[in-house]
Amino acid sequence: MNTGPRFEPLTEEALATLDGGVDRLASEVGVEFDHPRAIELFRDAGQVVDGQTVRFDPGFLRAQVALAPRRFSMRARNPARDLEIGGDHMVFCPVQGPPFVRIDGERRDGTMADLEQLVKLTQMTDALDTPGRNMLEPNDVPLDSRHLLRALAAIRLTDRTWAGEPSSQSAAEDCIRMIEIVHGGLDGGPVLFANCNVNSPLRYDVRMLEGLIAYSEAGQAVIVTPFLLMGAMAPVSVPAALVQQTVEVLAGVALAQLVRPGTPCIMGSFLSSTDMQSGSPAFGGPESAVGLYASGQVARRLGLPWRSGGGTLTASQSVDYQAGYESFNTLIAAFLAGANVCWQSAGWLEGGLVTSFEKFAADCELLDLLQRQFAPLEVDEASLAFDAHVEVGQGGHFFGAQHTLERFRECFWRPTVASTENFERWTKNGSLDHAARASRRWKTLLADYERPALDEAVEEELLEFVERRAGEVGDTISVR
């Protein structure tokens, strides 16, 4: 829970100006949809269609968005892992999508074994709530059946909610069938995230639309996420990027509601800048933070739960000081802006090209710190510790006070990676820097992993489904 005050930099006048910009961009420029059903649905709803471009009545967009719930619950395989989306709730997901992995200084292609280890690590930390879809691309398994293996790993190795493949109708339907096997149907509400990225600027491609439509039909949680790097996929000003982001989100959520009214939707925000000297993405800068603060205000104005793309983003190539401060700047902005879902919250390195095991451990500690920092402060007679003052009096110390002895084990947050040793003890223990301690931490977590129980009949049906579907797409794989 994040019940703290929200940092809101936009005045009512500024919000009204953004609203006007959204209306103008939506009605005069519009959004392109590379899918005949999407075009048909918008045309039947009375919107202006010109080829694949839809120009919207702004009132229509806002009416459609109002059909999406402001808050909703998501079931996990383990009911203790169920999630609440919206309001003051925050949900955290690790890095998603990198093709490369970095382990103990070695950078190489990711493998299925690496992905399975990362899924296990997610299960082992309470700082994270879901493994998402693809913490790493397993480049050693066939592309056409990769989504099946990723989904199977999320189901077998965790007992948490996970994210399905959004990039084709058949892959989405496979993931939906797998959750039907696990949960015995879909009648109990959403159990699966689907992060559908906009092909910014102002375009939805056919593969993402296939996923968005399939998950909406199944009543699953659809995250509509524009991918905006200012200077590349959006203009170079934060207000212009906010307008574009809002139009793209409104269009996607409107489509989801046309497919199935009441579909749970999450406004996605992945808004950062570009290094205008090199053209490379830049992360953790002030523009990104301001964009997140403002995105929170816009989302609350629309009545949508929202996703912060910025978890622990950095452009750094190693787990160093730059990685630390860029990650912190992006993550603290998500907390202050009141994000409900935080993707990319552990392991992101090198602009999203690399999943780092060391940074995964370091980021989980940073998440844990901020979750503790933003927890409500309990103020009552016990916390005032008046009896401790009576016991110690003036000029004494509280180490041996009864109040201290009753609470010292849990009274303060304790790091699992950071060091509080004095220099002599730190030297005696090997003079390990932060990255080395983070490496030790993830290995300890992995050594303690225990696979959560899964009904044998359910597991067997899943294995049969995955092997059969892989064969149907031309891949021969064994998951036994």
Side-chain angles (χ1 to χ4, degrees):
M1 294 286 287
N2 176 6
T3 59
R6 308 295 186 240
F7 183 74
E8 298 190 332
L10 300 177
T11 65
E12 281 299 317
E13 181 181 3
L15 286 167
T17 301
L18 290 177
D19 284 344
V22 168
D23 293 350
R24 184 178 184 186
L25 188 61
S27 61
E28 296 185 19
V29 178
V31 180
E32 183 178 307
F33 293 86
D34 185 19
H35 194 292
R37 187 178 175 197
I39 294 297
E40 179 183 2
L41 286 168
F42 284 126
R43 180 183 286 113
D44 290 347
Q47 304 310 292
V48 176
V49 175
D50 181 8
Q52 292 185 324
T53 300
V54 181
R55 295 182 179 86
F56 295 99
D57 173 2
F60 163 80
L61 288 178
R62 289 180 172 80
Q64 289 297 112
V65 168
L67 298 176
R70 300 179 72 97
R71 293 179 58 171
F72 58 92
S73 300
M74 295 189 70
R75 291 180 297 142
R77 185 158 71 81
N78 176 359
R81 306 283 196 185
D82 288 354
L83 301 176
E84 293 295 321
I85 309 298
D88 292 330
H89 296 277
M90 295 188 78
V91 170
F92 297 94
C93 175
V95 61
Q96 302 287 291
F100 303 110
V101 65
R102 187 180 180 93
I103 303 179
D104 291 336
E106 178 189 5
R107 183 186 189 274
R108 57 171 172 77
D109 285 349
T111 67
M112 193 65 207
D114 296 325
L115 176 61
E116 289 174 345
Q117 285 190 315
L118 289 163
V119 174
K120 292 176 181 178
L121 287 172
T122 302
Q123 177 69 9
M124 289 299 294
T125 175
D126 290 334
L128 295 168
D129 298 288
T130 171
R133 175 177 68 95
N134 62 333
M135 284 182 277
L136 183 69
E137 282 297 329
N139 292 296
D140 60 337
V141 297
L143 181 62
D144 289 340
S145 55
R146 195 174 292 176
H147 66 284
L148 295 164
L149 296 174
R150 287 192 298 238
L152 186 62
I155 294 169
R156 297 173 85 189
L157 302 180
T158 80
D159 54 9
R160 302 168 183 252
T161 297
W162 48 281
E165 177 63 48
S167 60
S168 76
Q169 180 175 338
S170 61
E173 290 172 348
D174 285 342
C175 293
I176 292 166
R177 176 58 192 142
M178 292 174 77
I179 60 171
E180 286 180 322
I181 293 171
V182 172
H183 291 275
L186 302 177
D187 294 336
V191 298
L192 199 62
F193 288 107
N195 185 66
C196 299
N197 289 309
V198 184
N199 190 7
S200 304
L202 300 173
R203 183 177 188 271
Y204 283 79
D205 64 34
V206 63
R207 293 178 66 82
M208 281 294 168
L209 286 171
E210 286 181 350
L212 187 153
I213 290 170
Y215 288 110
S216 297
E217 287 177 332
Q220 300 308 298
V222 176
I223 309 174
V224 181
T225 307
F227 180 38
L228 303 184
L229 294 177
M230 291 178 284
M233 290 88 86
V236 294
S237 75
V238 172
L242 288 169
V243 165
Q244 180 183 327
Q245 174 181 268
T246 305
V247 169
E248 291 177 352
V249 167
L250 290 174
V253 174
L255 177 59
Q257 302 309 311
L258 288 176
V259 172
R260 178 171 173 161
T263 294
C265 290
I266 299 167
M267 169 182 154
S269 174
F270 195 105
L271 199 167
S272 195
S273 59
T274 305
D275 184 328
M276 299 309 291
Q277 290 181 309
S278 67
S280 298
F283 299 102
E287 294 82 10
S288 178
V290 171
L292 284 175
Y293 299 142
S295 295
Q297 283 188 262
V298 171
R300 287 185 286 276
R301 194 175 179 88
L302 293 172
L304 287 173
W306 73 286
R307 169 211 154 173
S308 161
T312 53
L313 306 188
T314 178
S316 181
Q317 296 77 29
S318 63
V319 187
D320 58 5
Y321 187 78
Q322 177 186 340
Y325 80 72
E326 288 181 342
S327 295
F328 178 82
N329 195 42
T330 310
L331 188 59
I332 191 70
F335 274 82
L336 290 171
N340 301 115
V341 178
C342 296
W343 243 231
Q344 316 290 5
S345 292
W348 170 293
L349 198 64
E350 203 178 314
L353 290 175
V354 171
T355 299
S356 164
F357 276 61
E358 292 76 27
K359 191 163 183 292
F360 185 99
D363 288 340
C364 284
E365 176 162 289
L366 179 56
L367 273 175
D368 191 50
L369 181 154
L370 288 174
Q371 288 167 357
R372 178 71 171 264
Q373 186 169 310
F374 278 80
L377 181 64
E378 187 173 341
V379 179
D380 56 17
E381 285 299 317
S383 66
L384 294 181
F386 179 78
D387 289 344
H389 283 290
V390 172
E391 179 183 347
V392 173
Q394 293 79 14
H397 65 76
F398 291 86
F399 283 115
Q402 185 65 29
H403 183 271
T404 303
L405 294 175
E406 292 172 352
R407 294 165 173 78
F408 75 93
R409 288 183 175 86
E410 297 179 353
C411 59
F412 303 130
W413 177 81
R414 293 186 179 184
T416 55
V417 177
S419 172
T420 57
E421 299 169 324
N422 62 35
F423 182 79
E424 288 74 19
R425 185 175 178 83
W426 175 75
T427 303
K428 181 181 178 181
N429 289 334
S431 305
L432 300 181
D433 64 12
H434 191 270
R437 295 193 300 271
S439 178
R440 182 175 60 186
R441 173 62 178 165
W442 74 257
K443 292 170 185 174
T444 299
L445 284 173
L446 204 57
D448 292 337
Y449 171 82
E450 293 183 7
R451 181 178 157 187
L454 178 62
D455 182 85
E456 290 184 6
V458 169
E459 184 168 15
E460 180 60 29
E461 187 175 356
L462 282 170
L463 298 179
E464 291 178 356
F465 175 79
V466 168
E467 290 181 342
R468 176 176 61 79
R469 283 292 296 130
E472 290 172 355
V473 299
D475 297 329
T476 301
I477 59 175
S478 176
V479 290
R480 307 287 173 169

